[in-house]
């Protein structure tokens, strides 16, 4: 029988080799069609007396990315529609649908003939769960092989047997860590955990898998054998008693109960290990169907999978401009940011010219790359030859002539218009006519910097975040005259360095910093109100923010906050800055010399390592302190998310960001806006505009104008609209929709 997504060849030993290779996709994924075909294959090989066993592998470089989450998104869309008519029936259908994969994998496991999964490359989610249902697992000894059950990162969990098979193969603690973190495993780590059986040379992979079958591999899973005991012991054992109470506490500490899927994993493992395997699978299926109905799952799948993937593929790239392959990129200014930009560019295999005022400064910038890659080599994350290659790609210089041949320039010199003007003119004189010039400015409007250029249509903003090697977002800023070729090229560049681009119109603070400043300002206001600093930081974390606002201000520097305030007063007048907050920052910087992490003294004290940072006790003396018991922590949490979301809504109203996917994904990648909400706009959509506006009004009455809802939101509340309906990203013709 012929299949569209698989080939099946049986060799003279009676071993069927099933090769998964979807013709229309770059990566194999589980779709309805794939599952149906696999089901037919299982039936065929089981019924065929000539087949002794089956090896399943992939015909692509990767094994599989797991389930196609757009399929899940569609399933959830259908569920919502059906639930409006008959909720109980819709839930039953959802439960049955999500059980299909589980049943299919169980069918492989109980087919009576041995199956071996030959894992040749990245093997994620459902594909790893399928492998776990095979009787044998061999992985290729290659850096390209990564295995993980990463579902928790998008608000769901491994619902095709993963929560049951993993803790029956490895110790409970290892299983919980793997399932709740979604972290990648190398073949060595997976073997050490007992999750795979063998590691083979890549060109011997299928042979090794076949040899397992020829060697008499039993077609029975360990848990289907009489007397099976989980390797980590039973739930009601000394080991179980030691593990579970802290496991629950640790999860709470890490998630503050914001991630229902993570809690469901613990419940599945705990309850599942108490019962026979088939009952355990059913428990998992029930929790999975429940989790799929949560707002968190819907929002996280949309933003952190579907939208993120679309933006990474260049959803906002103007149509009709040929793609650029970068021959050489120039970075002007080898300081803090420029050095990081040079590193990520070279890491992507692109030659970089790193220019500074003198060769010493340029060399110093290159040394940053040396430090980062040397550290990676030390930790086993990179090979020595990768270090050599990366460093060979960076040419430090003080000579503008070396910029000849660059297709793309990123300027990261001092934040000073005059200095930027000088380097722009000198660089343009040396550059080919086709080169695009991008500035990494954080505050100066691109339109005004473009005036320094002879070709403003090729002038654009490319705004990185620090630390450049870690932060995955880049804002692309459009000046008034920026042409579509420059936009396309900037997007191509950001994609080439494997970061996520969002396209933003020119304004003070662009998108991200406008929101971040609101977050910090709200914390300053709370301090002034007398809210104890530890409560401010904890409330923000409980709301889902990864870094408290005071810690974040320390990272970016308090004197920078002071500089921004002073500049804003110069540009827009005194009223543009809250004078009480200005006084707080001035006191910290001018009176107490507290600049932030950089001088070891900020809102926190930074003692020498390994001691941990601690909030500065002096904060208590700056303002009369409220009694913590009189403060509503829920309100503090709400204030942080609301004040940021309102700014994101204003940015949409002003047309600075035009696509809600970019506002959402940007807010999560740049400053970790409570990921379980799906991002700053999804937070509003999830609450509903009407309810959100009501909350904002109540907060405005108590705390001030920062909570004033923009007209846009008031109108959306009246019409019952969401951002994704009003600014439908798929309605535009130049935007590629998800398959
Ligand atoms: P930095 O002071 O660390 O580095 C600036 C570098 O530019 C220095 O090495 C300096 O020698 C060099 N330079 C100055 N004048 C020059 C000239 N005429 N010719 C060549 N080189 C020259 O500053 P930074 O923090 O890396 O910031 C650089 C730019 O990036 C600024 O525009 C800043 O607003 C922006 N930015 C900074 C951050 C951040 O977190 N620091 C984040 C995003 C954007």
């Amino acid at each position: 029988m012929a299949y569209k997504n698989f080939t099946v060849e049986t060799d003279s030993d009676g071993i069927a080799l099933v090769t998964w290779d979807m013709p229309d996709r770059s990566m194999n994924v589980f779709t309805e069609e794939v599952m149906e075909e696999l089901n037919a294959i299982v039936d065929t090989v089981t019924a065929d007396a000539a087949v002794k066993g089956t090896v399943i592998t992939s015909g692509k470089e990767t094994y599989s990315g797991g389930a196609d989450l757009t399929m899940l998104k569609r399933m959830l869309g259908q569920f919502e529609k059906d639930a409006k008519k008959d909720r109980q029936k819709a839930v039953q259908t959802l439960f049955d649908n999500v059980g299909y994969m589980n049943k299919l994998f169980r069918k492989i496991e109980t087919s009576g003939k041995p199956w071996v999964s030959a894992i040749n490359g990245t093997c994620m989610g459902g594909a790893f769960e399928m492998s776990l249902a095979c009787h044998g697992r061999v992985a290729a000894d290659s850096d390209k092989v990564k295995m993980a059950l990463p579902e928790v990162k998008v608000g769901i969990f491994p619902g095709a047997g993963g929560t049951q098979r993993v803790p029956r193969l490895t110790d409970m603690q290892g299983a919980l860590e793997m399932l709740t973190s979604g972290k990648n495993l190398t073949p060595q780590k997976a073997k050490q955990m007992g999750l795979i059986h063998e590691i083979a040379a890549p060109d011997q992979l299928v042979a090794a898998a076949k040899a397992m079958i020829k060697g008499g591999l039993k077609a029975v899973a360990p848990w289907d054998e009489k007397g099976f005991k989980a390797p980590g012991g039973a739930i009601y054992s000394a080991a179980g008693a030691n593990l579970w109470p802290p496991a629950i506490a640790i999860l709470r500490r890490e998630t503050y109960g914001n991630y229902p899927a993570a809690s469901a994993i613990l419940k599945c493992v705990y309850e599942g290990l108490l019962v026979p395997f088939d009952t355990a699978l059913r428990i998992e299926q029930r929790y999975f169907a429940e989790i799929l109905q949560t707002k968190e799952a819907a929002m996280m799948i949309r933003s952190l999978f579907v939208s993120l993937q679309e933006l990474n593929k260049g959803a906002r790239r103007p149509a009709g401009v040929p793609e650029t392959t970068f021959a050489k990129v120039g970075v002007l200014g080898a300081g803090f940011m420029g050095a990081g930009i040079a590193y990520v560019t070279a890491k992507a295999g692109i030659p970089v010219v790193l220019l500074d005022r003198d060769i010493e400064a340029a060399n110093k910038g290159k040394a940053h790359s040396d430090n980062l890659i040397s550290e990676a080599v030390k930790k086993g994350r990179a090979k020595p030859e990768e270090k050599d290659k990366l460093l060979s790609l960076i040419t430090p210089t003080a000579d503008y002539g070396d910029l000849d041949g660059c297709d793309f320039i990123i300027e990261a010199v001092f934040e000073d218009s005059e200095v930027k003007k000088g380097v722009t003119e000198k660089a343009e004189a040396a550059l080919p006519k086709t080169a695009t010039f991008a500035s990494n400015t954080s505050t100066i409007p691109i339109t005004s910097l473009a005036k320094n250029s002879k070709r403003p249509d090729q002038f654009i903003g490319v705004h990185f975040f620090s630390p450049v090697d870690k932060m995955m977002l880049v804002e692309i800023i459009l000046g008034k005259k920026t042409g579509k070729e420059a936009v396309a090229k900037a997007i191509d560049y950001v994609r080439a360095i494997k970061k996520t681009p969002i396209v933003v119109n020119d304004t003070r603070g662009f998108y991200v910093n406008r929101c971040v400043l609101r977050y910090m300002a709200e914390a300053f206001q709370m301090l002034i109100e007398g809210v104890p600093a530890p409560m401010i930081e904890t409330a923000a974390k409980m709301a889902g923010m990864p870094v408290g606002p005071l810690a974040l201000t320390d990272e970016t520097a308090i004197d920078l906050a002071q500089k921004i305030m002073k500049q804003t007063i110069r540009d827009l007048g005194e009223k543009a800055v809250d004078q009480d907050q200005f006084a707080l920052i001035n006191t910290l910087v001018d009176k107490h010399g507290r600049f932030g992490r950089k001088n070891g003294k900020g809102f926190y004290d930074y003692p020498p390592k390994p001691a941990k940072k601690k909030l500065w006790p002096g904060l208590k003396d700056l303002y009369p302190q409220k009694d913590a018991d009189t403060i509503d922590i829920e309100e503090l949490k709400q204030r942080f998310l609301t004040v940021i979301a309102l700014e994101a809504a204003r940015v949409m109203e002003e047309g600075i960001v035009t696509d809600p996917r970019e506002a959402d994904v940007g807010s999560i990648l740049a400053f970790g806006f409570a990921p379980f909400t799906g991002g700053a706009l999804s937070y509003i959509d999830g609450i509903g505009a009407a309810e959100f506006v009501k909350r904002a009004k109540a907060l405005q009455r108590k705390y001030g104008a920062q909570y004033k809802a923009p007209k846009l939101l008031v109108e959306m509340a009246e019409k019952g609209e969401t951002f994704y309906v009003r600014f439908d990203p798929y309605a535009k013709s130049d935007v590629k929709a998800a398959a």
Side-chain angles (χ1 to χ4, degrees), residues 424-455:
T424 308
E425 286 166 358
K426 279 191 213 151
E428 278 193 359
L431 284 171
K433 292 257 169 312
T434 51
T436 298
F437 193 102
S439 175
N440 180 46
T441 177
S442 19
T443 53
I444 309 173
I446 293 301
T447 306
S448 77
L449 287 178
K451 292 192 180 123
N452 303 325
S453 168
K454 288 211 177 85
R455 35 197 200 212

Side-chain angles (χ1 to χ4, degrees), residues 621-633:
D621 306 323
L622 296 180
Y623 302 95
Q625 297 288 283
K626 277 187 179 165
D627 173 359
D629 287 341
T630 63
I631 301 169
D632 179 357
I633 190 105

Side-chain angles (χ1 to χ4, degrees), residues 384-401:
E385 54 271 27
E386 286 169 327
K387 171 180 163 178
D388 297 342
K389 178 166 177 236
L390 188 146
L391 293 178
S392 75
L393 288 172
I394 303 176
T395 309
T397 186
D399 178 0
Y400 280 84

